[in-house]
Amino acid sequence: MKQPVRVAVTGAAGQICYSLLFRVANGEMFGKDQPVILQLLEITPALKVLEAVAMELNDCAFPLLHGIVPTDNAEVAFKDADYGLLVGAKPRGPGMERSDLLKDNGKIFSSLGKIIDKVASKNIKIVVVGNPANTNAYILSKNAPSINPRNITALTRLDHNRGLHQLAEKAGSKVADIKKFIIWGNHSTTQVPDITHALVNGKAAPSVVNDQAWTRDTFMPTVAKRGAAVIAARGASSAASAANAVVDHMHDWVLGTADGDWTSMAVASDGSYGIEKGLIYSYPVTCKNGEWTIITDLATDDFIVGKMKESEKELQEERDTCKELM
Ligand code: NAX
């Protein structure tokens, strides 16, 4: 049996974690032979609910769950952590400006960055889920200089998975038949869902769909605004599908992407496709041996490039709003 890995999870008493933690403890993220210790962080008022989550996790008798550490102390939660699932964030309140939300959540991530820098494993792999996810990951990275920026990512896999379903439905196909779909940019409505290079059963998706108006005017906005559609229908934001995407993101990063396919991850830009170096930008990536690699040199048309630049601009503006936190 392998040594257990320490998985720090923030916002552990919230909606997403109520789906996420049980799947991590059941081996779906790191493999059925990898024991885990869950180090669960919450704010003090949520500790009682967190206690109940820990009780339920114990009551599942998961063979791979080798320990639970519920705490309101971030230094305890991130001590020697091998992985960080950063879900906890403040929700946008009534009348709150986006810039206020950016700054409030930015403060959470600048403080977590400093703590991670101090107490976590130097090889910690992090996914930021709490919104605005890309900019929170950027702020965290700037506050954790001893952690390789390659190890700090943000979640766009939910957007990717949403796109797979919409495309499969239009093509009269199954999600398993779709490969090489891309989400470029920010996890926001400026994201760019791109089927240019996608394959449906090995055939070029644009010719299978053969409907550019649908692709641009229906598919792209449906994927980008799916979060709001779920909120309108459920009265709360996506939780189980977000948790599933976090499982997929970490699973593929650690255990590898499927042969002949790629996925979408928001990672530190290396300047590929003319995007400012260092911004946390969603790219098509393959993963092998715990390392991601951006797929470079894909041909992009002017329409997609224009949208990619808009998303980059939004990320630059978000970063500039939070300058004092870095
Ligand atoms: P909940 O409000 O149910 O849970 C958030 C939890 O975080 C709460 O229990 C709260 O007490 C805790 N928390 C707040 N500040 C904290 C801090 N400083 N340290 C530790 N815990 C803290 O929200 P939930 O539905 O679970 O969503 C969590 C975050 O995910 C939100 O920011 C949400 O916007 C974001 N999402 C991101 C998605 C993505 O694809 N990147 C999709 C789903 C989701 O919208």
Side-chain angles (χ1 to χ4, degrees):
M1 184 63 102
K2 291 180 176 173
Q3 284 298 308
V5 290
R6 295 184 177 273
V7 187
V9 188
T10 74
Q15 290 268 350
I16 292 175
C17 285
Y18 196 60
S19 289
L20 175 62
L21 297 173
F22 297 85
R23 297 188 57 188
V24 179
N26 198 29
E28 290 175 52
M29 184 174 274
F30 300 114
K32 293 284 183 184
D33 60 347
Q34 178 59 68
V36 295
I37 296 171
L38 293 175
Q39 306 189 156
L40 307 179
L41 182 67
E42 258 298 346
I43 52 173
T44 311
L47 279 180
K48 199 161 159 44
V49 178
L50 184 60
E51 185 93 353
V53 173
M55 286 163 72
E56 285 205 67
L57 279 163
N58 283 326
D59 292 348
C60 292
F62 290 120
L64 290 171
L65 183 56
H66 282 209
I68 306 176
V69 183
T71 181
D72 59 357
N73 181 338
E75 294 208 10
V76 173
F78 282 93
K79 179 85 184 119
D80 299 327
D82 302 294
Y83 299 100
L85 315 179
L86 275 59
V87 182
K90 216 171 138 174
R92 187 164 172 174
M96 198 174 176
E97 294 295 328
R98 186 173 161 83
S99 57
D100 294 333
L101 182 75
L102 273 165
K103 283 186 190 154
D104 277 5
N105 280 328
K107 276 183 210 147
I108 295 177
F109 287 83
S110 67
S111 130
L112 281 181
K114 292 185 180 78
I115 290 166
I116 288 169
D117 199 55
K118 193 164 117 192
V119 303
S121 157
K122 290 299 166 208
N123 298 317
I124 187 171
K125 282 184 162 61
I126 292 173
V127 60
V128 174
V129 180
N131 278 318
N134 301 50
T135 297
N136 287 339
Y138 185 93
I139 293 168
L140 183 106
S141 186
K142 293 292 170 211
N143 285 278
S146 71
I147 307 296
N148 186 339
R150 287 184 53 86
N151 285 14
I152 299 171
T153 65
L155 187 76
T156 51
R157 184 62 173 263
L158 177 55
D159 309 296
H160 184 98
N161 288 346
R162 286 166 171 165
L164 292 181
H165 169 74
Q166 296 296 329
L167 179 56
E169 198 167 69
K170 173 75 175 174
S173 187
K174 300 186 217 52
V175 283
D177 301 329
I178 314 262
K179 295 199 172 15
K180 301 190 173 179
F181 171 61
I182 304 171
I183 299 289
W184 302 100
N186 199 1
H187 168 68
S188 76
T189 52
T190 69
Q191 66 179 253
V192 190
D194 180 8
I195 68 162
T196 312
H197 305 279
L199 301 171
V200 181
N201 274 319
K203 297 195 190 95
S207 54
V208 173
V209 168
N210 198 20
D211 187 348
Q212 194 184 66
W214 174 84
T215 304
R216 292 184 178 184
D217 304 334
T218 302
F219 173 75
M220 293 175 76
T222 298
V223 175
K225 294 180 187 163
R226 185 71 163 181
V230 170
I231 292 176
R234 194 175 108 89
S237 63
S238 313
S241 56
N244 177 68
V246 180
V247 172
D248 286 349
H249 177 109
M250 293 305 288
H251 175 277
D252 286 1
W253 187 3
V254 174
L255 299 173
T257 40
D259 283 345
D261 200 2
W262 60 53
T263 188
S264 302
M265 276 170 76
V267 298
S269 168
D270 60 355
S272 293
Y273 300 95
I275 301 303
E276 184 186 321
K277 212 173 160 184
L279 285 179
I280 308 287
Y281 194 89
S282 184
Y283 282 107
V285 300
T286 52
C287 303
K288 202 175 175 182
N289 301 325
E291 296 288 335
W292 51 260
T293 307
I294 295 173
I295 307 290
T296 51
D297 302 325
L298 293 171
T300 40
D301 63 29
D302 289 350
F303 173 77
I304 295 290
V305 170
K307 296 265 174 206
M308 286 169 69
K309 285 303 217 187
E310 275 174 39
S311 204
E312 177 193 35
K313 185 162 171 274
E314 182 182 50
L315 284 167
Q316 289 165 331
E317 286 166 3
E318 288 184 9
R319 184 258 327 267
D320 293 346
T321 305
C322 301
K323 248 189 185 128
E324 73 277 11
L325 296 170
M326 298 168 225

